[in-house]
Every structure is written in C-alpha cells, then in structure tokens.
Amino acid sequence: MVLPPTKPPRCDLSGSPRIEAIDIQLKKETIMTGMTRRSALKLSLGAAIAFPSILTTTRVFGADFTLKYANNCPETHPLTIRTREAAAAIKAETNGKIDLQVFPNSQLGGDTDMLAQLRAGGIDFFTLSPLILSTLVPKAAVSGIGFAWSGYDRLWPAMDGKLGEFVRAEIRKSGLYPFEKIFDNGFRQISTSGKPIKTPEDLAGLKIRVPPSSLWTSMFKAFDAAPLSINFSEVYSSLQTRIADAQENPLVTFESAKLYEVQKFVSKTNHMWDGFWFLAGGKTWNKLPADVQKIIEKHMAAAAQKEREDVQRLNASLEKDIAAKGIIFNSVDPAAFQAKLKSKGFYKEWQAKFGADLWKLLETSSGLPE
C-alpha cells in the first residue's frame, strides 16, 4: 500500500483538504496584515469547530490510498474484467481517493510469490485458489476435495454459508483478511496432448501439471499419475515443451489462456471445484478506515456475484467454441473415479488432516458419501 508521505495522521485536522484550503487563505492574509502563522492556525481550527460539516464531509476520504491488486488470470478472464469494474466503482464512489490498481496475468509474479508479497505488504489484495492458499492455511483446501461436488446447487449454499465461514475464520488466523464472497473459477477438467482420459486407469503414469498444493498432488498420485507442481504462469510453456503432457483447469481458463494451442483432448471430469478467495493483506486492511473497508467489500461482493454468473455461463457454452479449434471432448463416469479414490484411502487421509468437524461439514454440504 502506498501512502502519501507528507500526509499527517487522520486525527490531525490540518490534513483535511478543506482545512488546508482555509490555512492557505489565512497565510495569504498573514502576508497582508502581519498576522502570525500561529494565529492563522488557531483561526483555522476555530473555523473547523465552528463548522463541523467540514470535518464530517472529509473524514472518510481525508487521505489518498493507492492500492495494488494482483491475480494470475488473463485480461479476458471474468475475474479480471469484474475486478476492474469494481475498482472503477470504488474510485468513483470515493471521488478518486481510493485508486485500486489491477495487475492481472501474473504480472507481479507466480502464485506463491504473490502470496508472499501479500503477507509482506508488497501488494495489498490478491485473489488465490483455496488449494494454493492451503500451503499457508491447510484447511482452506477442503472445498477442493476430489469428486465431492455434484454441482453449483450444493456448492454456493456451502461456500456462502457454514463451510465458507469456517474457512474464512481459518484464513484470518494467518494474518490475511478474506472477503465474504469467493469468486468462481469453475469445475476443473483434464486436458491432454496424447490420449483422452476415460477411466481412472488412463491417468496411470500421466505427467500432469497441477498447481503447487498437496491436495492436488495427493489426488493424482492416488490415480497413479505423475503430478508436476508448476505455477500457472508457466503452464503454457511446460505443455509446449512437453515437460508436462496434461493439465487440469476449468474451460474458461483453458480458453482464455489459449491452452487449446498445446493440447488435443479435454475430458469432462469435473474432478474438483476451484475458486478465488479475494484476500487483503492484514497490514493494508487494518490501516484502512472502516468506511473505506465497507465500500471496497460492497463492490467486490457485487463483482463476485457477477463473475460467478459469467464463469458458469461461459463454462456451459465454451465447449462448442473450443471444439471448433480442434479439441476433442469426452465425458466420464465420476462414480468410477470416486471409487478409485476411496479404495486408495484418499478420503480417509484428508479426513484425518482436516479433522472430524470440518469433514462432517463437507459431507453435509456436498453430499459426499461417508
């Protein structure tokens, strides 16, 4: 967060723009009349007391804040589009006092780099997958358990309800501030360059790129695949150079990142749901006035709702567009994949890691069989 170096603390009345205007005028009068600066300052303070509306109208936005928000999505992704709209709305409502600058497409580093910057105060806001966030907040990964969700009809009531509340409380313990509404990334599908994935056995030995998260690695190892943890900024090049033969992402990400240029098949596995927590660095958030916080949260909540609708609509319509680019689609039986994970002890492993209470909450929310 960049704070104007010459601005005084908020409790100093001389930092108010209108008070400064009064003070400047008094300085001019001092030159003409011989009035001392101390007398002028006393008069300016007296004016503030006499006209309290001067304080009440400038108290909320008495200082300028230039804030950095970063994400790993391309410019064309709904997340970037909607957060840019929110940033513009925040600037308009605060009369230009809050300038939220948007840095998309991993401009400020990879996911793990930007998370470190967020914690250190190098950037102020960051949207991150719960599964990557789990490198810092392990229980954040609960929403990404493999083959847990049958659809959005169960997902959103859970993430906007008790499951989301539980996770946000865990995130706050890490010193970050999570906003109430999580953005959508969509249900993830597996794409490959060599052969389609039709059964769990087709994953055996597959070099598949996954984000840096133990949950992803654990799940694909249960399928006997060879998962490679690679930041999203390097996905395209890793597929292009055949470091990895496969990857998994929602269709909207697959299309916006042009992964159809380096892949041939998409298997509609819906194996995990993924989203983006909108996170504020604790240092930044705690320094912002409460009324400014409310304005930012209000517009980001509206942006999240619009983005959810965008992603759901796009993921439902993109198959035809992507197929026109030469990609071959196929569907799978999710029950077979779920049975494989159960037989390999995947669910028991993560139940032990998350604890009985959180796992019960997941089962109740998602309908995952016990």
Side-chain angles (χ1 to χ4, degrees):
M1 181 181 69
V2 180
L3 294 175
T6 58
K7 294 285 186 183
R10 291 180 54 80
C11 60
D12 187 341
L13 298 181
S14 63
S16 166
R18 295 193 182 185
I19 298 301
E20 288 178 352
I22 294 172
D23 197 39
I24 290 170
Q25 181 61 34
L26 288 171
K27 287 178 184 177
K28 292 180 180 178
E29 295 175 3
T30 300
I31 294 172
M32 296 176 62
T33 64
M35 183 185 295
T36 66
R37 174 171 172 76
R38 180 173 296 178
S39 298
L41 180 58
K42 287 180 179 178
L43 182 56
S44 69
L45 292 174
I49 295 169
F51 301 99
S53 62
I54 292 175
L55 294 181
T56 59
T57 57
T58 61
R59 181 182 61 83
V60 178
F61 311 121
D64 292 341
F65 293 92
T66 300
L67 306 169
K68 292 181 180 179
Y69 157 64
N71 70 41
N72 66 1
C73 292
E75 282 281 0
T76 55
H77 193 284
L79 175 68
T80 302
I81 293 170
R82 293 303 186 181
T83 49
R84 279 199 185 281
E85 290 176 356
I90 291 165
K91 190 170 186 177
E93 185 169 345
T94 61
N95 297 317
K97 298 297 183 181
I98 309 299
D99 183 13
L100 181 58
Q101 300 177 348
V102 180
F103 296 87
N105 207 25
S106 301
Q107 290 181 32
L108 302 185
D111 291 334
T112 49
D113 293 333
M114 289 190 284
L115 178 58
Q117 291 180 60
L118 182 71
R119 298 182 69 196
I123 59 178
D124 304 297
F125 301 98
F126 180 36
T127 35
L128 185 63
S129 161
L131 281 79
I132 301 176
L133 180 59
S134 70
T135 59
L136 174 66
V137 184
K139 292 182 179 180
V142 67
S143 58
I145 287 292
F147 296 92
W149 303 99
S150 58
Y152 285 111
D153 58 332
R154 282 186 171 271
L155 176 73
W156 291 135
M159 296 310 295
D160 291 339
K162 292 183 179 180
L163 189 65
E165 289 174 6
F166 188 104
V167 173
R168 289 196 302 275
E170 291 295 310
I171 296 172
R172 285 193 291 271
K173 293 177 184 177
S174 73
L176 302 177
Y177 182 82
F179 282 30
E180 185 173 351
K181 279 193 178 292
I182 189 170
F183 286 73
D184 190 17
N185 194 13
F187 286 90
R188 303 177 79 93
Q189 322 298 345
I190 297 174
S191 73
T192 57
S193 59
K195 65 177 183 179
I197 304 302
K198 297 180 179 179
T199 69
E201 289 68 34
D202 291 329
L203 287 166
L206 184 69
K207 292 190 298 180
I208 182 169
R209 175 269 170 181
V210 297
S213 165
S214 59
L215 180 58
W216 261 296
T217 303
S218 171
M219 187 184 77
F220 281 102
K221 282 185 175 179
F223 288 125
D224 300 315
L228 304 170
S229 294
I230 299 172
N231 274 316
F232 185 76
S233 57
E234 302 170 24
V235 171
Y236 188 100
S237 61
S238 69
L239 295 170
Q240 187 177 43
T241 58
R242 297 298 179 90
I243 291 174
D245 296 319
Q247 67 86 48
E248 47 79 64
N249 260 300
L251 290 185
V252 64
T253 303
F254 183 87
E255 195 276 338
S256 63
K258 299 183 178 181
L259 298 182
Y260 51 80
E261 295 178 348
V262 288
Q263 297 280 266
K264 185 175 180 180
F265 302 97
V266 170
S267 301
K268 295 187 291 182
T269 51
N270 290 312
H271 55 277
M272 302 167 93
W273 173 80
D274 197 16
F276 299 103
W277 282 114
F278 195 95
L279 305 169
K283 295 178 181 178
T284 293
W285 193 248
N286 293 333
K287 289 180 181 178
L288 292 174
D291 19 29
V292 170
Q293 292 175 347
K294 288 179 181 178
I295 290 172
I296 295 173
E297 286 194 283
K298 177 183 71 174
H299 287 291
M300 284 304 166
Q305 189 60 47
K306 292 176 183 177
E307 189 266 358
R308 290 177 181 184
E309 296 166 4
D310 294 339
V311 170
Q312 190 169 352
R313 183 173 59 253
L314 281 171
N315 280 329
S317 64
L318 276 176
E319 181 175 343
K320 183 178 179 180
D321 295 338
I322 295 172
K325 294 178 171 68
I327 297 295
I328 301 170
F329 283 83
N330 70 278
S331 299
V332 305
D333 175 16
F337 289 81
Q338 194 178 70
K340 178 77 170 180
L341 291 178
K342 188 173 182 178
S343 70
K344 284 298 196 81
F346 171 80
Y347 295 123
K348 283 188 177 180
E349 174 191 350
W350 286 92
Q351 181 179 6
K353 289 182 178 181
F354 289 142
D357 291 342
L358 181 54
W359 192 260
K360 186 65 177 178
L361 196 55
L362 173 66
E363 288 179 335
T364 302
S365 302
S366 68
L368 183 69
E370 295 185 13

